[in-house]
Each structure stands twice: as C-alpha cells, then as structure tokens.
Amino acid sequence: MQYWLFKSEPLTFSIDDLNALPKQNEPWDGVRNFQARNFLRDEVKLGDVVFFYHSSCTPPGIAGTATVVRAGYPDISAFDINSRYYDPRSTQEKPIWYSVDVKFSKKFHHFITLAELKIIPQLKKMTILKRGNRLSITKVSNDEAKIILALAK
DNA sequence: GCCAACGTTGGC
DNA sequence: GCCAACGTTGGC
C-alpha cells in the first residue's frame, strides 16, 4: 500500500465537496501533467491512501485523507468537449490522460498547514516541500505518513 | 497581484 | 534534439 498526496484547489474541489457527495467518491480527473499522469496510470493502486492537500488558498495544507477505490483508467473529461479539461489529442483508442477514483476517508480534526509541515525535520524530503515543486500527485513515504497522521490528531 | 520555478510547445 | 518563448502553478 502506497501513500500519496493529491493537490486540489479547494475553490474548485475541496475535501468537504468530496465528503458531501452522495457516495463520497469521485473521479480524480483533469490531471494534465505527464509525470502525474504516469503515477495515475501506473502506480496508484486500489486501496492506496491519499492525503488531500488544499493548494492556492489560505492557508495551504493537508485537510484529510481519501482512499483509492478505482485504479487508473482513461480520464473521460479529456473526451468531453464541454469540459474545461477537454483535450482533442486524447481519444478512446489512444487515451493520453488518466484518472483514478477516490473516496472520502476522513477530514482531519486538525488541518495541517504547509507552515507546520515545513518545520518538521523528518518531512524535509517531502516532494511537496521542495522548492518550486508543482507536481500535483506525489508519493509520501510510510515514515512521512506516520508523522502526518500523528500531527492530525 | 507578484514572481520564481517549472513544464510544454514549437521553430529551427 | 536544442532551446527560447510561453503558460501555469502556487506560495507569499
């Protein structure tokens, strides 16, 4: 089982939005970066745990967790001409973009801000903390996950 | 709103 | 295949 961190802008889609859905699950679509796409297509597996990160907001940070309920499959938003994520280069026969489905797991009682993450020495290597990092899907090690989960209490 | 950092595109 | 130009991300 692998831990992940998925970024989302809460104004677009927040952990509360996920929680409020009838089935509390949703395709994680619209990823349009090849490195992140490769993770979604090849490495994110059923049962993996996702840290739900809120970006471009005040303050940014980790809001809770979700679980992967469906592994990589072609991102249908790329086929939808009315979607903001439409990409005519991606076809049913040769899809370029992938999504996974995630299900709400829990909202942290304590929202862990980016500033908090930054001051923990053991988290220094987290991809999210590296300068200029923009990757929206990143791996989180077991050790890092443990620390984050402890912080959330 | 600013701007550093980075990914992608496209001309050559 | 190089690389400049451009667009986007995301913290501040």
Side-chain angles (χ1 to χ4, degrees), chain A residues 97-110:
Chain A
W97 305 115
Y98 282 72
S99 38
V100 300
D101 288 356
V102 299
K103 186 179 174 73
F104 177 82
S105 178
K106 71 178 163 200
K107 184 175 174 178
F108 288 158
H109 188 255
H110 169 68

Side-chain angles (χ1 to χ4, degrees), chain A residues 5-56:
Chain A
L5 184 145
F6 286 12
K7 285 183 197 169
S8 182
E9 298 187 15
L11 286 176
T12 306
F13 188 69
S14 73
I15 194 159
D16 292 326
D17 295 330
L18 180 63
N19 189 14
L21 293 169
K23 289 182 153 184
Q24 297 187 314
N25 69 15
E26 181 78 352
W28 198 274
D29 59 11
V31 172
R32 297 291 178 267
N33 165 283
F34 288 104
Q35 218 180 326
R37 184 283 309 270
N38 292 346
F39 282 147
L40 291 177
R41 186 187 58 191
D42 307 329
E43 297 199 53
V44 178
K45 299 297 182 194
L46 187 67
D48 282 359
V49 173
V50 171
F51 289 106
F52 199 122
Y53 182 88
H54 285 178
S55 66
S56 297

